[in-house]
Amino acid sequence: MLLSLNWLREFVPYTGSPEELGARLTMLGLELDGVSHPFPAIEGMVVGRIEECKKHPDSDHLILCRVNLGSEIVDIICGAPNTAPGQHVVVAPVGSTMPDGTKVKKAKLRGQESNGIICSERELGLSDDHRGILVLDEEMSGPFTLGQNAREAMGLDTAVLDISVTPNRGDCLSVLGLARETALAFNLPLTLPAIDYAGVERGSCALEGLQLEVESGDVSSYYHLRAIEGLKVGRSPAWLRWRLQGVGQRSISNLVDVTNYVMLELGQPLHSFDLHKVRGGKVRVALAGEGEKLVTLDGQERQLVTRDITIRDAEGPIGLGGVMGGANSDIDAQSSAVLLEGAIFNPSLIRRTSKRLHLSSEASYRFERGVDQSMCGYALERAAAMIAKLGQGKLSAGSLGSEPKPWVAPLLPLRRERAELLIGVSLTPEFCEDCLSKLGCKLEKDCTEAGRETWRVAPPNHRPDLEREVDLIEELARVYGFDNLPQTLPEVERPAEKAGEAKSIYQFVSRVKHWAAGLGLNEVVNYSFVGHKDLDLFGLPAEGRLSIMNPLTSDMDVLRTALLPGLMNSLRNNLAQGAGGLRVFEVANAFTADPASETTAHENLRLGLLFYGDRFSAGWPQTQAEADYLDVKGVVEALLDKLRLPAAVYANMAVDSGKALPWLLPGVSVSLVINGQSVQLGWIGRVKPEIADVYHARKNVWAAELDMDLLYKLSLGVKPRSKPLPVFPPVRRDITVIAPLGLEAEAVLAVIKKSSPAGLESVSLVDLFLPAGGQERNLTFRLTYRAADRTLQDAEVDKLRDSMAAALVKALPVRI
């Protein structure tokens, strides 16, 4: 929102600098993006008066002027046809610089000296008008002082603030809205601009016989019309054109400029129809018929749907309500009567129409965010009086209107104790009452709820964003000053017995991310969008995909159904930067279609892992080796151990089994046994070389993907328990099992655990040796024995080990 400081001062008597104002508004939540000076080139110009004019002796069109600059009288040669004695003009004196960069110097034109330039509007950069010099009229800013700075004398804006307005503060998209904030910040009185009927002629009721119909209050809650006749379309007065130009608006005509001016001033979008182009004596506000068409003011033909709001006459649409008028009812040079519309439209419908048609206007931008219904009639009257005055027309008696859905302010509760708890400071009742009153709220203080003092607060009409108690508390914090809040961390209390438990899915995700970073993995964050060609490359099902209607690029036209395609894109980007190895993880949602869902999408939170290339990022003292299946499997096992979940069951997905994943070779399924039932957790495997090659991978790519939603659900059932630290030392023994190649290490571990006595504390696989050309392999397991009440003797442990070896030989085809 561009805010003219001069315009603001017509509402509040603010005398400070624009920087000071911007700093205070920023602390109120309206950030200052910058301060500009819209007419900098006019700074060196001054006001002069032409005292004498006479023809140049050697030219038919040049005029010799004697110009009084206050401190001196200079000779200036001018060629404008409208030059006359007594005129107040803008002079660029010798030494000043023109807007185009030209330095003004003394010159001789056909033997006569000229000491400056009498400027036209185009030479001043105010418009393209170069028909004659600019003659200052006292309606602009006068009376004028000779030698006075021209920008000051003309009332041009000296400072314009660019204020960033958040989506919930639609009330601040006007000078009035920002004036309210300024009055609040500096404790200043606020004055609304008057509706000036002086010099406005009154006519007969031009609306007589015109019918108005509003289909529903859900389409338009307020709709009123005023008529002005006998108008002359022309150029807006200088003050209006320059004010609009100062805040970035282009002047069109006196009739159209008024509606733009009032919209910027009061925040109420208005629209002017040519009264004589409204057919059939009827105006109807209703939703469009499916397939209807309307050519809007920008000359584009728009295809309408049943949720578009239209303004219609007896023959069809003449405007797209709240967005843009129709070309069949626009104001042109021949227009002599205006039908002025002031309305409140459904914000959600306006937003849908604007987004669907890619048609954003100043009006739709405000209607989408909410407009003050109580101000609509006032804005309509102010604009009607201005149009009648500037267009020399007659304001028709009476108005035609409908308000099917009057504004009713909600009654919100406010507990001061709750406010103090959320803000973290003590708030006096006097401060709260004064703050809410200045915001325009109405208070009922003598109320109780559940035995506590509770105020009832009715927010003002221009603040539709105040919907809940916490919104009022935020207003108290804004006015108190976010910069005044103490910088102390709140105390967080949590019972020791709940330590380690995940309170929410967000805390659980944070816990997993910190764990993965602690393992040395790097987190990647990818877009949720991938390409259909990526999913096709991996052989992922086409059923259930959610295509993007307006994709960022052609390579990002569908929501991902798995994390691996995004991880592979990350691999390609890192390889392009010269990475030799990659160990990354991502925690994100995968999406599939779900018509029963409110969003039509089912979101499944997943953990993706990807290992590529060198196992370690540095050389010595680490050995150089490539990451493989055991690296990924080890990370999965470490995660389950971290979450205190049972060990997973890993099973090869044979290609001929029908269960193999089309992007893995080999692939391993990961499942958990919960209450005797196997639950699928995810998969581990090597990405097929032909797929990896597409992503420029020249080495094996190992990946895994796990269901985080399932892990979170299972982790909620884990109860942390503590036990005493062991007192007596452990005794360790290694046992090497010579097993056939087809016998899995998990089968050996299962026999060891089943036949182990109470003294076996833990068992782990510590080495594997595969003799060259053999059909057997050597598996070395480390057995840890410990007793809780004594130190075990070597002979006792050897006996336990020999008993276990015998059990292995008996149960499995192995040798010890």
Side-chain angles (χ1 to χ4, degrees):
M1 173 67 191
L2 296 178
L3 173 65
S4 160
L5 193 59
N6 289 350
W7 204 347
L8 176 74
R9 285 169 175 158
E10 296 177 10
F11 287 79
V12 289
Y14 175 74
T15 57
S17 68
E19 290 76 15
E20 182 185 359
L21 174 61
R24 190 70 188 95
L25 291 179
T26 297
M27 297 314 301
L28 287 173
L30 301 165
E31 185 177 357
L32 174 67
D33 286 341
V35 179
S36 62
H37 304 281
F39 304 101
I42 307 179
E43 183 63 36
M45 313 297 181
V46 297
V47 175
R49 184 176 63 226
I50 300 177
E51 304 289 358
E52 181 183 350
C53 294
K54 60 181 180 180
K55 293 187 64 176
H56 192 292
D58 296 325
S59 174
D60 294 334
H61 68 279
L62 294 179
I63 300 172
L64 299 177
C65 301
R66 296 278 290 171
V67 182
N68 188 346
L69 300 181
S71 59
E72 60 178 333
I73 297 178
V74 297
D75 294 321
I76 299 177
I77 298 177
C78 180
N82 63 329
T83 307
Q87 293 175 335
H88 285 91
V89 293
V90 176
V91 177
V94 173
S96 63
T97 303
M98 299 295 290
D100 62 1
T102 303
K103 195 81 171 179
V104 180
K105 303 177 181 178
K106 287 185 179 181
K108 277 194 175 183
L109 297 177
R110 299 191 181 184
Q112 299 294 321
E113 190 174 85
S114 181
N115 297 283
I117 300 174
I118 303 176
C119 300
S120 67
E121 287 196 21
R122 189 172 74 178
E123 288 168 327
L124 294 172
L126 297 175
S127 73
D128 293 330
D129 188 0
H130 196 55
R131 293 172 297 177
I133 59 173
L134 172 62
V135 179
L136 298 180
D137 188 333
E138 289 198 359
E139 286 189 3
M140 296 178 184
S141 180
F144 305 106
T145 303
L146 298 182
Q148 181 183 9
N149 179 277
R151 187 167 67 176
E152 177 186 338
M154 296 162 65
L156 298 178
D157 290 316
T158 57
V160 173
L161 289 76
D162 187 358
I163 306 294
S164 178
V165 179
T166 54
N168 66 314
R169 293 304 305 274
D171 62 297
C172 290
L173 294 173
S174 65
V175 180
L176 173 59
L178 293 174
R180 289 192 183 107
E181 294 294 304
T182 304
L184 176 68
F186 295 95
N187 197 26
L188 298 173
L190 177 69
T191 304
L192 289 177
I195 300 175
D196 185 11
Y197 291 114
V200 175
E201 291 189 50
R202 301 289 181 144
S204 60
C205 186
L207 297 174
E208 187 174 350
L210 185 67
Q211 296 180 1
L212 173 64
E213 180 185 340
V214 178
E215 182 182 81
S216 166
D218 293 329
V219 174
S220 173
S221 58
Y222 181 100
Y223 195 89
H224 275 63
L225 298 169
R226 289 284 294 193
I228 308 100
E229 295 183 290
L231 294 167
K232 296 179 181 178
V233 178
R235 198 180 187 200
S236 294
W239 69 266
L240 178 54
R241 289 186 283 113
W242 296 341
R243 173 145 287 177
L244 291 177
Q245 184 177 347
V247 293
Q249 288 283 328
R250 181 174 61 92
S251 175
I252 299 174
S253 71
N254 54 350
L255 307 188
V256 177
D257 288 352
V258 167
T259 56
N260 289 332
Y261 180 87
V262 173
M263 177 186 67
L264 294 172
E265 180 183 59
L266 302 178
Q268 172 63 55
L270 303 168
H271 184 69
S272 297
F273 299 98
D274 188 323
L275 180 60
H276 296 148
K277 295 180 181 179
V278 177
R279 301 158 296 188
K282 183 177 182 179
V283 174
R284 186 167 181 261
V285 185
L287 296 177
E290 188 68 38
E292 282 189 317
K293 296 180 180 180
L294 173 68
V295 178
T296 48
L297 289 174
D298 58 1
Q300 299 293 317
E301 184 178 74
R302 310 288 179 177
Q303 186 87 18
L304 307 183
V305 298
T306 54
R307 60 173 179 266
D308 295 331
I309 301 174
T310 58
I311 313 302
R312 318 170 69 86
D313 60 13
E315 299 182 21
I318 58 173
L320 200 53
V323 180
M324 187 174 286
N328 57 355
S329 61
D330 69 324
I331 303 294
D332 55 31
Q334 287 71 44
S335 298
S336 61
V338 162
L339 188 63
L340 185 63
E341 167 199 270
I344 302 295
F345 298 109
N346 186 311
S348 61
L349 294 179
I350 297 297
R351 178 171 177 78
R352 289 180 181 180
T353 298
S354 177
K355 295 300 180 185
R356 182 180 61 81
L357 296 176
H358 304 288
L359 181 61
S360 180
S361 63
E362 292 283 353
S364 67
Y365 188 77
R366 286 164 173 78
F367 278 127
E368 289 172 11
R369 288 155 175 77
V371 175
D372 182 3
Q373 186 164 323
S374 65
M375 185 60 66
C376 188
Y378 176 82
L380 182 65
E381 287 298 315
R382 177 161 169 76
M386 289 180 66
I387 289 175
K389 190 172 184 178
L390 299 182
Q392 303 175 32
K394 295 182 179 180
L395 183 60
S396 174
S399 64
L400 186 63
S402 174
E403 190 173 11
K405 195 174 183 179
W407 167 259
V408 178
L411 201 59
L412 308 177
L414 177 64
R415 295 163 292 175
R416 192 162 52 86
E417 294 80 2
R418 178 65 175 166
E420 291 179 344
L421 178 64
L422 290 182
I423 300 175
V425 295
S426 178
L427 302 174
T428 65
E430 292 76 17
F431 167 78
C432 296
E433 182 176 0
D434 181 64
C435 170
L436 295 173
S437 297
K438 287 180 179 178
L439 287 169
C441 299
K442 296 180 180 178
L443 282 70
E444 296 178 13
K445 296 191 295 181
D446 298 330
C447 306
T448 57
E449 184 176 294
R452 297 182 178 179
E453 181 185 6
T454 302
W455 293 2
R456 297 293 180 185
V457 181
N461 296 353
H462 61 270
R463 293 298 304 274
D465 59 305
L466 302 181
E467 301 176 326
R468 301 172 298 167
E469 180 185 30
V470 72
D471 296 329
L472 297 175
I473 295 174
E474 182 183 5
E475 292 301 297
L476 295 176
R478 277 199 321 126
V479 178
Y480 185 89
F482 294 120
D483 51 334
N484 295 325
L485 298 179
Q487 298 180 7
T488 56
L489 293 175
E491 294 183 0
V492 178
E493 296 182 359
R494 196 173 187 194
E497 60 269 17
K498 292 190 176 181
E501 291 185 8
K503 292 177 62 177
S504 67
I505 184 66
Y506 306 104
Q507 184 179 0
F508 175 74
V509 168
S510 177
R511 180 184 175 193
V512 171
K513 287 183 176 181
H514 281 85
W515 161 83
L519 285 183
L521 307 183
N522 292 308
E523 183 181 6
V524 296
V525 179
N526 289 305
Y527 283 112
S528 299
F529 315 129
V530 292
H532 277 289
K533 64 178 184 179
D534 291 317
L535 301 184
D536 293 339
L537 177 65
F538 286 88
L540 289 161
E543 184 181 358
R545 295 183 188 177
L546 292 165
S547 298
I548 308 300
M549 294 180 63
N550 53 339
L552 299 173
T553 67
S554 59
D555 295 331
M556 304 175 71
D557 55 359
V558 64
L559 284 171
R560 62 189 172 203
T561 58
L563 302 189
L564 185 57
L567 290 171
M568 292 299 290
N569 282 318
S570 296
L571 172 63
R572 176 166 51 194
N573 293 335
N574 280 271
L575 292 177
Q577 301 301 318
L582 205 65
R583 296 161 58 90
V584 297
F585 76 95
E586 181 176 19
V587 179
N589 283 321
F591 304 85
T592 52
D594 181 8
S597 170
E598 181 180 357
T599 61
T600 72
H602 171 69
E603 302 182 28
N604 176 215
L605 187 65
R606 302 188 69 79
L607 168 65
L609 301 168
L610 186 142
F611 283 47
Y612 172 84
D614 298 338
R615 177 173 290 139
F616 303 107
S617 59
W620 185 89
Q622 290 88 1
T623 57
Q624 293 294 351
E626 291 185 9
D628 57 21
Y629 167 75
L630 293 179
D631 291 275
V632 186
K633 181 173 180 284
V635 171
V636 173
E637 290 176 339
L639 174 61
L640 296 176
D641 182 66
K642 173 71 175 179
L643 300 177
R644 303 292 187 266
L645 295 176
V649 177
Y650 305 90
N652 290 326
M653 294 185 287
V655 176
D656 57 358
S657 67
K659 298 181 180 180
L661 299 177
W663 60 87
L664 295 180
L665 188 67
V668 173
S669 66
V670 183
S671 57
L672 296 174
V673 178
I674 307 297
N675 297 327
Q677 294 186 345
S678 178
V679 180
Q680 186 71 25
L681 178 62
W683 53 262
I684 303 175
R686 185 187 67 170
V687 178
K688 285 184 176 179
E690 56 268 28
I691 297 178
D693 187 63
V694 175
Y695 295 91
H696 305 163
R698 299 296 179 260
K699 301 176 181 178
N700 289 334
V701 180
W702 293 92
E705 199 164 311
L706 305 178
D707 188 339
M708 282 282 284
D709 285 332
L710 176 60
L711 288 176
Y712 171 64
K713 181 180 178 181
L714 295 176
S715 69
L716 293 177
V718 174
K719 299 298 181 182
R721 292 181 178 87
S722 61
K723 62 180 181 179
L725 293 174
V727 176
F728 297 95
V731 180
R732 295 183 176 91
R733 292 288 185 271
D734 289 350
I735 182 171
T736 299
V737 179
I738 304 172
L741 289 179
L743 184 64
E744 296 180 351
E746 185 68 31
V748 179
L749 283 171
V751 173
I752 293 175
K753 293 176 181 178
K754 183 177 180 181
S755 61
S756 63
L760 182 64
E761 183 178 76
S762 65
V763 57
S764 60
L765 178 66
V766 294
D767 196 13
L768 182 150
F769 175 68
L770 185 64
Q775 298 300 314
E776 295 178 320
R777 59 178 180 169
N778 299 350
L779 304 172
T780 300
F781 296 90
R782 178 157 296 165
L783 311 174
T784 301
Y785 295 90
R786 192 196 306 265
D789 57 349
R790 57 193 171 85
T791 300
L792 293 173
Q793 302 299 315
D794 286 344
E796 185 179 2
V797 173
D798 291 340
K799 184 177 180 181
L800 293 173
R801 176 192 176 280
D802 293 342
S803 174
M804 181 178 295
L808 285 171
V809 172
K810 182 178 179 180
L812 299 172
V814 299
R815 294 179 289 120
I816 305 301

